[in-house]
Structure formats: C-alpha cells, structure tokens
C-alpha cells in the first residue's frame, strides 16, 4: 500500500482544510523554521493513534488550532489518511462490499470529544491498529522518526534495543 | 520463539553491517547479544568508522552517530519491508559529503517504498522526485507543491 | 541575598526579551518566577514568536527552540560579561535566514569577547574573522588555519 | 582576559602535539563529520576541570589517544591553556613575582595518574577553579555549550532554571 493523500483541518497550525497528495519515490518537505513541517509529521502520527505526549502536547485539546495571536481558535482538529487499496491488501475488512480503490482512516478531537473513523464511520481505536498492522505500519516503530529522535535508537540501553528486534519478528 | 528471534536478529545484523559499510565506505559494525545464546540478554551495537576504535557509541561524533542510527533504521526497514518511511530532519548534523550519501540511499529506498523526508538540506532536495514547500503566514500553515 | 537575586533576574529578563525580539523580529518573551516574590520558586520561560501562542515551550519548532535558548544564553552572557563563548554546532536546526541572523549576532558579540563556534553552516563561516579547518587522516586529527 | 592558545597532545584523536592560537572576534571551526572538532571542544572543557562523563567517556583513561585501528596508543593525554594576562587580571596569583604576559593552566592524565598544572607546576584542582572564577569563566555554565546541548537550558524544569540565575549572581 502507500499514502494517497492526507487531509488536515484545525490541527495545530493548519487552520483551514489542507489536502496533500503523496506519490511513490522520495518526497522532500521544505520550509522555514516554524512554518509547520513537523506539525504535518505530527498530523500523520496523530491519525495513526499516537498519544499527545509524543505530539509535543500535554493534552489532546492542545492539538486543536489555538488561533495564534489574532484569530479565533478552531473547535475541532481532524486528520484523514487515505491508504491505497489497489492491490486488495485490505480485502478482509470489506466482507460484503466491493473493494474500494483506497481506504480512509480518520481521527477527530474537540473539547471533551475524541473519535476514530474507518471509511468515514466511527470505529474503535483497535480497528485502526489492526488496519495499520495489516499494512505493516508501526507508528511507534522505526518507520516514523520525529525531529531529533533518530539517535535515540542507538542511545537506548541494551535491553530496550533488544525489544526492537522482539517487536519486528 | 527463540529460533524466530535469532533468525530476525541475524538478518537485521547482516543488513546493518552492509549499510554501515556503504555509508562509511569501510569500517566495521555489528549487532550482538550480550550473551550469545540468551535471547533475553541486551543487544550490543558496535560501530567502528574506518581507522577508528571508539570505546563506546558516545565517543562517536554527532554525524557518525546519525549515520550509525540511520543504518540501524534502514536495516529494520529492509527486514520488515514496510510501505513507508517518514523522517523529520534526520540529516541535521551531517556535512555535505554525508548528506549526499544519505540522500542517495534514501532515493534508492524510494524505489521500494514511499519515503517522505523533512529537510533544510539542498543535497536532500536535489535527490527528491517531488517537493512540498510549507509556509506560515499570520500563524497559519499552507502547503504548496514545488517544481523541482 | 533576595534583593541581589531579583536584581539579577530582572536584568537577565530584560536582556532576554530584547535579544528574543531581535532574533524573531517581533514576538514576546519573558522570564518570570512561578510566585513573583518567592525567590525559591521555579523560573518560567515564555516565548511567543510573532503571531503565535504556543501553549508550552515544547510546541515551538526545532529552530524556534534553538533561537529561544540562544537568546537565553546571550542574556546570561550580557549580564556576566565573561571573556568567552565556545559553542559547538548550535545552528544545526536553523534555516538559512535564521543562520544568518544568529551569525550576525555572534559577530557582534565578538567585538566584546572571544567567540569560538563549531559549524557546518556557510552563513556562520562567512561572518567569522578567522577559521580553522580540522581534518582526520588514519584516525589522527590535524588543525589548519584557513584563509577566508 | 582571552585564550591566547591551546596545546593538545595525546588527547582523543589529537595524537601529535597540536598548537592552536586564538584571537579576538568570531572564530569558526569547520571540518567533516568525525574529524575532531568536538574533541577540540572537549580538550578545552577537560583542562577547565570537567569530569569524564561530560566528555563523552566513562573513565578518564578513555580520553587518551587509543591508537585507532593501526597505531599504538599514547601513554598520556595533556592539554595546556594559555590565558592572556596583559591587563594584570591574575596579579593576586603572583604575590612575589613579576607579572607574566600570559598564564598557563594544564591537565594531564595517564594510566592511574592525573594532575593539574599552573605555570607548569603541579597544583590542586581548587587552584584551577579559583583562576577560572577570577577570569569569570564557568566551564559548567552557559559559556561552553557542547554539541546538542543548547536547548537543554530551556528544557530543564523550572527549579533547575532558577538555579542558573542563582549561580550567576
Ligand atoms: N495548537 C496549535 N495551534 C496553532 N499553532 C500551533 C499549535 N501547536 C503548535 N503550533 C505552532 O506551530 C509552530 C511549530 O511548527 P513546526 O514544529 O511544524 O515547525 P517546523 O516547520 O518543523 O520548523 P523547524 O524547521 O524549526 O523544525 C510553533 O510556532 C507553534 O506555535
Ligand atoms: N581516545 C580516543 N582516541 C582516538 N580517537 C578517539 C578517542 N575518543 C574519540 N575518538 C574519535 O574521535 C572521533 C569523533 O570526533 P569528534 O566528535 O570531534 O568529531 P566532529 O568533528 O565533532 O564531527 P561532527 O561534525 O560529526 O560532530 C570518533 O570517530 C572517535 O572514534
Ligand atoms: Mg520541525
Ligand atoms: Mg561534533
């Protein structure tokens, strides 16, 4: 599979709905300091189920666009991830239906409200975990490396490092 | 369980040594268990750039640690063959020569999976197939597709 | 003792706000005690780049954190007026524009004290009065003076 | 005062005696990854009395040139720092003598042996501390920032940050 596109709205510095298509090969994301590059990385980690503590926030509400100095804050943060299904990898999740060309995973938060979506319908968090496992994507593993975190993988103590091998076999 | 663990470790260790050798153009690296037959013992990483014998991983330079960690991440990726890698400024400590080597390697991985990197480095941008520019105005981020 | 502490804090805080404002070309920053009159309470750093209201220091970007920390270090330096600053790759996360701003500021401090920086950044080297190149051959380092 | 020059021999990757003069203004140190730039920084921290744990080593002996893959290790690591005394800042340390134009601080380690020097004569560690205090140099403070350590100063908890102000007043 692969990421076909990401839709972000009201998440961190992405106030308005932003759609970013992704393709094969190496894609570079560039921009000045503070422009929102790591916020985009956090949006993808967020929809994959990561907790606020690894998204540079103390509580989930802090992920909602806070208005900055001049604007009014958003009421909701929402990220939707579209994964390609042209090779039918996700067939087991569509027992009765036709195979969609792509599947969508979503996550929303508002004050006092939080939910996950699969194909636009609310679903439990475990559903997202099972889909990502089928796709061989581990958001807490080596495939998503946040800014400044690369060398953690060799700095860990020997026991922690051993667990990395445990997790992948 | 034990056989599975050792098979995975041996495989990842083989990839790690090859990728390390490629990034450093020489040197020696290895992944070993503290007690070879005991799968519950800790995992030791040894990394010797060419001509050097660092007594511990901490004695390596900032750039050498980045390349060693990258080799480990890529070894796990080659073992798992996952669909994507999303890396946020992993090249921050690298000089021009090493940025170039890393960018070439990532370009190669881009033939087998989707690789998305955030970077300030011209070397990295030069090797990318596509690029997005993120801009900030009045506290709001926008994303634009860039012509390479 | 209390009066001395508060005087030092007020002084450093004033320098910090000015330098932050200079590096970010706007925005607001402050150093305050958790409980204003209690000199044993913790020290809070607030840093708001222009147009932004980060809820905590962690929410700032890598480059914004570097500039904020640099402003704090320079505020301490201006208060103490020590003879030297030795800084090892403090500009690693900065883009070209901010590298330039930081290099100009360091060049200015070089008029009052000795400033020695390690850097891979052309902006930094361009602003330096002198440069040394360190090379490694067969595991041995050598230092050469470079013509700028 | 200012640093007039540093002499390093047998310390980390500096096998042979290396003399580096320093001047006023901004000086840049450049070089490829792993060439020895941070080792030069560590040499200056070392002579100012920092412990092995902040010099990327577990024991002091690991600071001695280890020979790398092909060469034989050095038997001793030695760093000497020359500080300018043209404005007589260090007068109190020379009660009977003439004022030297510069003073020298030294530190040596060998297997099972460690010492400090002031003007080439062995002296206690406290002597180095008093000289640096007179020079307004605090090796554990904000004036020496090791690679990757800049943002620690804002990441510390509020109590630790408060102590920074304590130390400078
Ligand atoms: N909930 C929020 N609402 C609005 N803005 C936010 C929110 N959370 C974080 N921000 C802003 O996002 C900015 C950080 O963006 P980000 O970390 O993505 O920058 P970056 O492009 O990665 O920069 P760098 O190159 O320095 O790493 C901060 O200035 C912060 O104020
Ligand atoms: N005791 C020692 N004897 C010999 N070599 C040593 C010793 N201790 C460390 N080294 C070597 O020094 C090298 C690291 O040098 P250093 O950290 O100064 O590089 P650097 O120029 O700062 O690079 P970077 O730009 O990547 O930060 C390592 O490769 C290490 O093997
Ligand atoms: Mg970032
Ligand atoms: Mg270094």
């Amino acid at each position: 599979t692969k990421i076909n596109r990401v839709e972000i709205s009201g998440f961190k510095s992405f106030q308005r709905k932003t759609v970013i298509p992704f393709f094969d090969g190496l894609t570079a994301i560039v921009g000045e300091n503070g422009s929102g590059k790591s916020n985009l990385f956090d949006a993808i980690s967020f929809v994959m189920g990561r907790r606020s503590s690894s998204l540079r926030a103390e509580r989930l509400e802090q992920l909602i666009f806070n208005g900055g100095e001049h604007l009014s804050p958003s009421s909701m943060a929402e990220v939707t991830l579209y994964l390609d299904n042209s090779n039918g990898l996700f067939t087991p999740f569509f027992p009765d239906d036709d195979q969609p060309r792509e599947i969508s995973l979503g996550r929303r938060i508002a004050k006092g409200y939080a939910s996950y979506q699969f194909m636009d319908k609310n679903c439990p968090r475990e559903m997202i975990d099972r889909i990502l496992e089928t796709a061989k994507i581990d958001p807490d593993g080596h495939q998503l490396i946040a800014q400044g975190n690369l060398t953690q993988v060799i700095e860990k103590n020997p026991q922690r490092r051993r667990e990395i091998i445990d997790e992948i076999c | 369980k034990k056989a599975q663990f050792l098979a995975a470790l041996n495989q990842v260790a083989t990839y790690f040594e090859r990728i390390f050798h490629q990034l450093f153009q020489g040197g020696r690296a290895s992944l070993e268990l503290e007690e070879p037959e005991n799968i519950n013992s800790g995992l030791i990483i040894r990394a010797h750039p060419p001509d050097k014998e660092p007594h511990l991983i901490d004695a390596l330079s900032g750039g050498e640690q980045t390349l060693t960690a990258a080799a480990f991440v890529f070894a796990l990726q080659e073992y798992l063959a996952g669909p994507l890698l999303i890396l946020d400024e992993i090249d921050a400590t690298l000089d021009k020569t090493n940025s170039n080597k890393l960018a070439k390697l990532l370009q190669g991985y881009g033939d087998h999976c989707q690789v998305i990197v955030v970077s300030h480095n011209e070397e990295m941008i030069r090797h990318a197939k596509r690029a997005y520019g993120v801009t900030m105005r009045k506290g709001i981020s926008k994303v634009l597709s860039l012509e390479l």
Side-chain angles (χ1 to χ4, degrees), chain A, chain B:
Chain A
T1 181
K2 68 182 181 60
I3 298 178
N4 283 345
R5 69 187 178 287
V6 177
E7 293 179 3
I8 309 173
S9 103
F11 181 88
K12 290 204 171 189
S13 53
F14 291 96
Q15 183 201 36
R16 306 212 191 93
K17 182 165 170 174
T18 311
V19 182
I20 307 153
F22 285 110
F23 303 90
D24 288 334
L26 176 61
T27 299
I29 296 174
V30 299
E32 291 189 358
N33 291 133
S35 57
K37 301 182 297 295
S38 297
N39 289 347
L40 171 54
F41 179 94
D42 289 344
I44 296 172
S45 300
F46 166 73
V47 72
M48 292 184 175
R50 298 208 77 180
R51 288 194 310 283
S52 58
S53 58
S54 55
L55 299 171
R56 298 183 288 161
E58 288 165 327
R59 298 185 305 286
L60 283 180
E61 285 99 46
Q62 291 178 338
L63 300 174
I64 302 171
F65 175 71
N66 66 17
E69 225 179 331
H70 312 292
L71 302 158
S72 51
S74 298
S75 54
M76 185 157 87
E78 179 173 11
V79 180
T80 311
L81 186 70
Y82 293 84
L83 293 178
D84 190 84
N85 185 36
S86 49
N87 61 359
L89 178 67
F90 301 107
T91 311
F93 295 95
F94 298 95
D96 315 324
D97 304 335
D98 315 335
Q99 285 301 321
R101 287 192 56 70
E102 66 182 11
I103 69 167
S104 75
L105 306 179
R107 189 175 178 190
R108 294 181 190 136
I109 45 167
K111 277 236 182 321
Y113 167 78
S115 66
Y116 288 90
Q117 286 82 37
F118 173 59
M119 305 305 281
D120 276 340
K121 293 198 202 66
N122 278 2
C123 72
R125 154 81 195 245
E126 291 65 42
M127 179 68 144
I128 304 281
D129 293 347
R130 277 177 34 225
I131 288 168
L132 291 176
E133 213 176 305
T134 307
K136 279 200 195 161
I137 296 174
D138 173 6
D140 298 317
H142 67 282
Q143 295 159 304
L144 267 66
I145 305 274
Q147 189 168 3
N149 286 3
L150 175 68
T151 48
Q152 270 177 11
V153 81
I154 57 174
E155 283 159 7
K156 288 184 207 280
N157 67 37
Q159 269 308 330
R160 239 332 265 135
R161 272 192 225 132
R162 195 191 64 71
E163 286 164 26
I164 293 175
I165 305 291
D166 248 353
E167 282 153 14
I168 64 166
C169 60
Chain B
K1 179 77 192 123
K2 175 172 169 170
Q4 211 182 337
F5 180 90
L6 288 174
L9 177 57
N10 282 337
Q11 195 72 54
V12 172
T14 312
Y15 292 140
F16 176 63
E17 285 169 46
R18 178 178 46 75
I19 300 167
F20 181 93
H21 204 273
Q22 196 180 336
L23 281 171
F24 283 87
Q25 290 172 339
R28 306 188 316 285
S30 67
L31 290 179
E32 292 155 16
L33 287 170
E34 276 169 335
E35 301 155 31
E37 284 307 311
N38 171 6
I39 69 168
N40 293 318
S41 64
L43 186 63
I44 308 270
I45 294 186
R46 283 190 217 294
H48 296 280
D51 302 325
K52 299 180 178 176
E53 294 281 336
H55 33 269
L56 51 123
I57 283 263
D58 272 359
L60 291 178
S61 84
E64 291 170 334
Q65 287 193 25
T66 290
L67 291 184
T68 303
F72 189 49
V73 166
F74 298 148
L76 294 170
Q77 173 62 17
E78 287 194 19
Y79 176 78
L80 256 185
L84 56 85
L85 278 176
I86 308 180
L87 311 168
D88 191 350
E89 299 204 27
I90 67 167
D91 55 0
T93 65
L94 299 182
D95 59 31
K96 270 218 176 342
T97 322
N98 285 327
S99 295
N100 219 326
K101 277 189 216 157
L102 186 69
K104 280 212 179 78
L105 203 61
L106 284 172
Q107 193 180 37
Y109 285 120
D111 297 338
H112 312 290
C113 68
Q114 212 170 21
V115 181
I116 300 167
V117 286
V118 175
S119 176
H120 292 293
N121 227 316
E122 275 129 48
E123 304 298 328
M124 194 62 81
I125 302 158
R126 219 156 44 73
H127 285 84
K129 220 164 146 177
R130 258 164 235 288
Y132 285 108
V134 184
T135 58
M136 169 73 78
R137 254 183 54 68
K138 288 265 169 262
I140 300 176
S141 295
K142 282 204 177 49
V143 180
L144 307 157
S145 172
L146 300 178
E147 280 308 301
L148 284 181

